[in-house]
């Protein structure tokens, strides 16, 4: 079961736990070309490159991450997934706009950004584009168990997308050891959340493979319900929702982390005397 993100700096090192948020699901209202599976956790654009706008079924709780994994790509289209938040009630949208950008945004109270192949970080005040594009230290990713975003800390493990390793991936690809995926790659994981501020507004953050991109929008109305928006656009064909563990990690997660850190390369996990389901979970989750 999910539990709420833990606020930072409130009555103790990390503060009290917030009420448990609802599991994330896709809203039954969506673009004309979208098909949502019966579980409400997988959305596929069945034709064309547009009419792929989806929403969260419920408004997000503060600090709750709406996290999607890119499951399937489609060649021949230019452009990638778009992600953000809206204060518009999806149930009142008839019809759903063809595009999130600019159609949905033009209705107001909506903040959506395109995820591109060549950058995965929003510029912060006081940093040049060159500094942002080339950080001076290597990615921490799984080296730090929690991602801290303003007053929230979120277990980082499931935020990180992982490619399925090939037999010699650990020898041929230097990025394999860091487990870094491009933002728009298959199995990349992209999330959006909002963090309330003391003035009644909120900052929107986008998280790409376990890395916070910083505030991508400010001044959102924190008192209004805020729904997640994902536009399954162009080369992105199918996305799957990923449920996060916000509190203490499960025993299954802890076992997987121990196995991953004890084995030199993930293909070697196949040689362990473990059930196939656990091997797959250790390598790919």
């Amino acid at each position: 079961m999910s539990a709420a993100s833990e606020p930072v700096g409130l009555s103790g090192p990390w503060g009290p736990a917030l009420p448990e948020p609802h599991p994330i699901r896709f809203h039954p209202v969506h673009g004309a070309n979208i098909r949502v599976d019966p579980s409400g956790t997988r959305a596929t654009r069945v034709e064309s490159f547009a009419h792929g706008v989806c929403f969260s079924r419920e408004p997000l709780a503060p600090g709750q991450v709406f996290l999607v994994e890119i499951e399937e790509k489609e060649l021949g289209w230019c452009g990638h997934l778009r992600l953000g938040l809206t204060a518009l009630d999806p149930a009142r949208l008839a019809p759903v706009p063809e595009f999130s950008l600019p159609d949905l945004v033009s209705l107001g109270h909506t903040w959506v950004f395109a995820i591109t192949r060549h950058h995965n970080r929003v510029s912060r005040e006081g940093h040049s584009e060159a500094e942002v594009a080339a950080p001076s230290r290597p990615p921490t990713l799984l080296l730090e168990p929690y991602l801290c975003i303003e007053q929230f800390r979120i277990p980082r493990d499931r935020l990180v997308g992982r490619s399925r390793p090939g037999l010699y991936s650990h020898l041929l690809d230097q990025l394999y050891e860091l487990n870094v995926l491009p933002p728009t790659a298959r199995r990349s994981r992209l999330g959006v959340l909002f963090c309330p501020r003391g003035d009644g507004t909120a900052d929107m953050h986008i998280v790409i493979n376990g890395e916070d991109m910083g505030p991508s929008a400010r001044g959102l109305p924190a008192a209004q319900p805020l729904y997640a928006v994902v536009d399954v656009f162009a080369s992105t064909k199918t996305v799957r929702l990923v449920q996060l563990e916000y509190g203490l990690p499960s025993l299954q997660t802890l076992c997987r982390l121990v196995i991953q850190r004890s084995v030199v390369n993930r293909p070697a996990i196949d040689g362990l005397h473990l059930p196939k389901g656990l091997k797959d979970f250790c390598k790919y989750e």
Side-chain angles (χ1 to χ4, degrees), residues 183-264:
T184 60
R186 184 172 173 268
R187 300 187 68 82
S188 186
R189 292 187 176 183
L190 313 165
V192 63
L193 71 155
F194 71 93
C195 302
R197 302 179 64 86
D199 61 0
T201 66
D203 293 345
M204 183 178 84
H205 288 248
I206 289 177
V207 178
I208 299 180
N209 289 321
E211 187 177 6
D212 175 27
M213 300 296 102
S216 52
R218 298 185 186 273
L220 279 67
Q224 295 185 33
L226 293 171
Y227 295 83
V229 180
V230 57
D231 192 349
V232 187
F233 174 70
S235 66
T236 304
K237 184 172 181 64
T238 300
V239 296
R240 174 179 66 89
L241 291 174
V242 179
Q243 309 297 330
L244 296 182
E245 297 173 340
Y246 290 90
L248 294 174
S250 67
L251 179 60
Q252 187 181 40
T253 296
L254 291 174
C255 289
R256 171 164 53 85
L257 290 174
V258 169
I259 292 171
Q260 288 175 348
R261 291 168 181 170
S262 300
V263 176
V264 175

Side-chain angles (χ1 to χ4, degrees), residues 85 88 97 99-113:
L85 296 171
L88 302 175
F99 301 104
S100 59
L101 288 171
D103 301 357
L104 183 64
V105 170
S106 68
L107 298 179
H109 303 290
T110 301
W111 305 263
V112 173
F113 288 82

Side-chain angles (χ1 to χ4, degrees), residues 53-270:
V53 177
C54 304
F55 306 92
S56 59
R57 185 177 65 185
E58 304 287 345
L60 297 185
Q64 183 181 18
V65 183
F66 182 86
L67 184 68
V68 297
E69 177 177 290
I70 298 175
E71 270 206 341
E72 188 177 353
K73 304 291 292 290
E74 186 171 28
L75 299 177
W77 301 116
C78 181
H80 304 282
L81 176 145
R82 290 128 177 225
L83 189 64
L85 296 171
T86 183
L88 302 175
D89 184 350
R92 297 174 180 264
L93 292 175
V96 174
E98 182 177 5
F99 301 104
S100 59
L101 288 171
D103 301 357
L104 183 64
V105 170
S106 68
L107 298 179
H109 303 290
T110 301
W111 305 263
V112 173
F113 288 82
I115 306 298
T116 69
R117 182 183 300 277
H118 300 292
H119 80 275
N120 68 343
R121 184 187 293 259
V122 174
S123 299
R124 294 175 174 84
E125 185 177 354
H127 292 74
S128 68
E129 290 187 5
E131 291 173 323
V132 167
S136 58
R137 61 186 180 87
T140 55
L141 295 182
L142 295 180
L143 300 179
E144 298 176 2
Y146 288 94
L147 174 65
C148 295
I149 303 179
E150 296 191 20
Q151 69 267 46
F152 299 100
R153 71 169 185 171
I154 305 157
R156 191 189 299 267
D157 181 51
R158 288 200 175 185
L159 296 173
V160 181
R162 297 176 173 87
S163 60
R164 291 187 182 272
L167 182 60
Y168 300 107
S169 296
H170 60 292
L171 299 176
L172 301 178
D173 187 357
Q174 186 176 7
L175 292 181
Y176 177 80
E177 294 183 4
L178 294 175
N179 212 5
V180 175
L181 279 175
T184 60
R186 184 172 173 268
R187 300 187 68 82
S188 186
R189 292 187 176 183
L190 313 165
V192 63
L193 71 155
F194 71 93
C195 302
R197 302 179 64 86
D199 61 0
T201 66
D203 293 345
M204 183 178 84
H205 288 248
I206 289 177
V207 178
I208 299 180
N209 289 321
E211 187 177 6
D212 175 27
M213 300 296 102
S216 52
R218 298 185 186 273
L220 279 67
Q224 295 185 33
L226 293 171
Y227 295 83
V229 180
V230 57
D231 192 349
V232 187
F233 174 70
S235 66
T236 304
K237 184 172 181 64
T238 300
V239 296
R240 174 179 66 89
L241 291 174
V242 179
Q243 309 297 330
L244 296 182
E245 297 173 340
Y246 290 90
L248 294 174
S250 67
L251 179 60
Q252 187 181 40
T253 296
L254 291 174
C255 289
R256 171 164 53 85
L257 290 174
V258 169
I259 292 171
Q260 288 175 348
R261 291 168 181 170
S262 300
V263 176
V264 175
N265 59 76
R266 291 189 181 171
I269 292 175
D270 287 329

